[in-house]
Amino acid sequence: MQLIPCPWCGPREEAEFHYGGQAHVAYPEDPSALTDEEWARYVFFRDNPSGPFAERWSHNAGCRRWFNAVRDTRTHDLLAVYRVGEPMPEVTA
Amino acid sequence: MTSPPGAHLPEHPDFLWDNPEPKSSYDVVIVGGGGHGIATAYYLAKVHGITNVAVLEKGWLAGGNMARNTTIIRSNYLWDESSGIYEHSLKLWEGLEEDLGYPILFDQRGVLNLAHSLQDVRDSVRRVNANRLNGIDAEWVDPAGVKEICPIVNTSPDVRYPVLGATYQPRAGIAKHDYVAWGYARAAHAMGVDLIQNCEVTGMETSGGRITAVETSRGRIAAGKVALCAAGHSSVLAEMVGLRLPLASHPLQALVSELLEPVHPTVVMSNAVHVYVSQAHKGELVMGAGIDSYNGYGQRGSFHIIEQQMSAALELFPVFARAHLLRTWAGIVDVSPDASPIVGLTPVGGLYLNCGWGTGGFKATPGVGDCFAHTIAHDKPHPFNEPFTLERFTTGALVDEHGAAAVAH
Ligand SMILES: Cc1cc2nc3c(=O)[nH]c(=O)nc-3n(C[C@H](O)[C@H](O)[C@H](O)COP(=O)(O)OP(=O)(O)OC[C@H]3O[C@@H](n4cnc5c(N)ncnc54)[C@H](O)[C@@H]3O)c2cc1C
Ligand SMILES: [Zn+2]
């Protein structure tokens, strides 16, 4: 079982968390102006890197708050956690 | 005088394929030596006479998902598009052993997809009807019927997820995954295909919007056409030509028990409780779960997934309580937004895409091998893979198989 360091509660078991996919995907500013192509990008296309990945987690069985993490998808190592609204920290994988 | 250890052993049997040095150029380079890559090479050679072909595999042949899947084969998907390609595949499975001249232990022992809620029941009956309209064998069976087909399933009503019935596809079954890969590899090799292991594709060259070569850990290889069959690594490869794919790579785990006497005559799958079980020819119970929630390229997943899967299995099969777990492992599955694959052309000339099979592409191995080879040979999709374009995510023509494929394989 992995320990995930919730920025509010500290390290807790992975089973307490819910995964939210890629972080920093902003809702389109002017949705009605989007082409089909742009909607497709927004709805269906996400980064899928082999390496560091900025992603969202929710501490469902704890404080129930969302936060962001940078995790190496090759090793599953959590390289950094940070609060929503903060920029992605620099990491070395 | 004592003889050295192993001196009494017979000679190594003949290898089924060679390990050639890569040539500097091929008509077709296939990236990924899993089931799909090797099968595609086989049908390119056999059906289209294209034999100047290399399959480049970064590890050993068929050591990815092909070596890690739970080998369930069926064609009882909901939509016409899916019925087309999965049933084509099932028909090829039915003649594959003869076609390859190699044993693959294909065993049509049937599959039960259990329903545990009223919604499950409605969806399942709808799927049975859709299957029948497409000429696919499918039946709705009630709990007593489930018990008759698979006596060890717990059909008592006083459990958390009671069995309210199941869909049954008698022609579904399992096969020995390694033998399938080896049978295809042996036959492709015999027709002149180069199977090149320990050869990782690290880059791609294009010129004037066309693919011209791949860079590999064993040097540059020029290619008339390049076909991607990299399963979990498809996004990483597509990225090399700036192509974005709507895929997420996830760990998918499975496990086996110790060897047991035959107790389980069929294949049982349950979406609601997230487990599916069959018994391999050797005697192990083979079980799989749902994907781990996070993206992952590590070929390992989290233990609580295994725990959940075991508790689900125990509720459905109380008799498993005394079985010991022998091994668990994971593969990397390329999950698409509509639980259907992407097979076809790309915006780059001469570059072809086969990915997004996620948790369920083993059953498609012969079918997609055949259709993808056709796509490559004619630079045009085969009718069976025509609906599975990359463009469907823009046009909205999705083939939503979450009901038939979500946890199920
Ligand atoms: C645990 C588990 C259970 C499953 N159960 C079922 C099931 O019951 N039924 C079913 O139908 N499907 C099942 N699947 C899904 C099925 O295994 C896959 O959809 C299918 O195997 C994918 O096609 P493949 O065999 O070609 O993939 P793979 O065998 O993964 O082949 C892809 C190959 O590409 C290689 N590669 C990647 N990057 C590069 C590179 N840069 N250069 C060179 N080579 C590269 C990889 O090393 C790999 O060998 C399961 C999968 C898993 C993991
Ligand atoms: Zn918390």
Side-chain angles (χ1 to χ4, degrees):
Chain A
M1 179 93 54
Q2 288 211 100
L3 289 179
I4 297 180
C6 171
W8 284 280
C9 311
R12 296 292 182 86
E13 288 188 350
E14 181 196 330
E16 295 186 10
F17 294 83
H18 176 81
Y19 188 59
Q22 186 177 352
H24 309 298
V25 181
Y27 189 74
E29 267 182 33
D30 185 4
S32 60
L34 258 52
T35 62
D36 288 354
E37 178 77 17
E38 287 163 337
W39 265 122
R41 297 281 140 186
Y42 171 66
V43 176
F44 294 124
F45 289 70
R46 292 291 178 271
D47 294 344
N48 186 23
S50 172
F53 186 40
E55 59 192 17
R56 303 182 306 161
W57 288 89
S58 153
H59 191 188
N60 262 23
C63 63
R64 298 196 58 77
R65 286 199 266 191
W66 285 93
F67 61 93
N68 293 330
V70 184
R71 195 177 49 96
D72 189 324
T73 61
R74 294 164 299 185
T75 57
H76 304 169
D77 279 348
L78 283 138
L79 306 174
V81 294
Y82 54 109
R83 297 182 181 197
V84 172
E86 290 174 4
M88 178 181 154
E90 292 283 321
V91 293
T92 42
Chain B
M1 206 179 98
T2 58
S3 54
H8 64 287
L9 291 172
E11 287 294 300
H12 190 288
D14 287 344
F15 286 96
L16 298 177
W17 58 84
D18 289 343
N19 272 311
E21 281 301 312
K23 293 193 278 184
S24 61
S25 150
Y26 290 92
D27 292 343
V28 179
V29 162
I30 295 170
V31 184
H36 291 200
I38 309 169
T40 301
Y42 169 79
Y43 292 106
L44 270 176
K46 192 192 150 187
V47 180
H48 305 281
I50 301 172
T51 56
N52 186 20
V53 174
V55 178
L56 309 183
E57 167 52 52
K58 75 177 164 125
W60 65 94
L61 215 63
N65 293 342
M66 190 62 177
R68 297 157 196 265
N69 73 81
T70 48
T71 82
I72 299 173
I73 296 166
R74 62 193 177 91
S75 65
N76 55 354
Y77 286 71
L78 177 63
W79 299 106
D80 296 353
E81 293 86 346
S82 319
S83 294
I85 193 154
Y86 289 110
E87 178 60 18
H88 176 55
S89 197
L90 182 49
K91 291 209 172 89
L92 289 174
W93 279 111
E94 288 173 331
L96 194 58
E97 186 153 316
E98 258 168 79
D99 191 21
L100 296 177
Y102 195 80
I104 57 167
L105 305 189
F106 178 51
D107 182 353
Q108 292 177 290
R109 56 178 66 183
V111 61
L112 287 166
N113 292 84
L114 303 181
H116 300 277
S117 67
L118 197 53
Q119 190 60 45
D120 266 1
V121 172
R122 289 182 183 135
D123 291 347
S124 302
V125 171
R126 177 185 177 204
R127 202 152 57 235
V128 164
N129 290 331
N131 290 162
R132 288 194 175 173
L133 287 171
N134 281 315
I136 292 170
D137 57 321
E139 291 164 37
W140 169 254
V141 291
D142 62 11
V146 170
K147 195 89 189 157
E148 207 168 297
I149 295 165
C150 189
I152 57 173
V153 176
N154 179 10
T155 54
S156 80
D158 61 345
V159 292
R160 174 68 182 83
Y161 295 101
V163 174
L164 302 184
T167 68
Y168 183 53
Q169 183 179 25
R171 284 164 62 244
I174 55 174
K176 178 82 188 152
H177 51 108
D178 291 332
Y179 291 3
V180 175
W182 301 343
Y184 271 120
R186 168 179 170 269
H189 162 69
M191 290 185 287
V193 169
D194 280 359
L195 304 169
I196 301 168
Q197 310 184 69
N198 299 314
C199 182
E200 178 170 1
V201 171
T202 54
M204 291 187 219
E205 287 175 26
T206 58
S207 163
R210 244 201 105 75
I211 194 98
T212 50
V214 293
E215 282 128 41
T216 81
S217 54
R218 294 174 70 174
R220 177 183 185 277
I221 302 175
K225 295 175 175 181
V226 173
L228 302 185
C229 288
H233 281 85
S234 297
S235 300
V236 177
L237 279 147
E239 180 91 33
M240 293 174 189
V241 288
L243 184 62
R244 243 170 110 78
L245 300 178
L247 298 177
S249 296
H250 286 270
L252 178 65
Q253 304 188 67
L255 59 91
V256 290
S257 73
E258 64 201 318
L259 308 192
L260 301 166
E261 292 294 312
V263 288
H264 185 7
T266 181
V267 181
V268 174
M269 319 181 58
S270 166
N271 277 9
V273 303
H274 282 217
V275 75
Y276 51 95
V277 188
S278 68
Q279 188 170 17
H281 294 84
K282 250 192 323 182
E284 318 95 300
L285 297 166
V286 182
M287 299 187 216
I291 55 172
D292 279 71
S293 67
Y294 47 77
N295 290 30
Y297 285 85
Q299 289 185 321
R300 55 188 285 204
S302 297
F303 190 68
H304 67 273
I305 302 284
I306 300 284
E307 283 182 314
Q308 278 166 13
Q309 174 188 352
M310 294 315 301
S311 62
L314 278 188
E315 182 165 295
L316 280 180
F317 300 96
V319 66
F320 293 171
R322 295 187 176 201
H324 292 118
L325 187 153
L326 194 65
R327 249 169 342 110
T328 77
W329 64 89
I332 315 165
V333 295
D334 43 336
V335 175
S336 79
D338 59 356
S340 285
I342 305 168
V343 187
L345 313 186
T346 71
V348 180
L351 180 68
Y352 305 90
L353 200 56
N354 167 45
C355 60
W357 289 96
T359 60
F362 172 71
K363 66 179 71 64
T365 304
V368 75
D370 184 35
C371 294
F372 197 39
H374 177 103
T375 305
I376 299 161
H378 296 283
D379 194 38
K380 193 173 162 282
H382 186 285
F384 286 138
N385 62 281
E386 207 164 11
F388 298 105
T389 60
L390 185 55
E391 290 75 44
R392 76 177 185 273
F393 298 98
T394 306
T395 62
L398 304 184
V399 187
D400 185 352
E401 287 291 356
H402 281 108
V407 173
H409 303 278

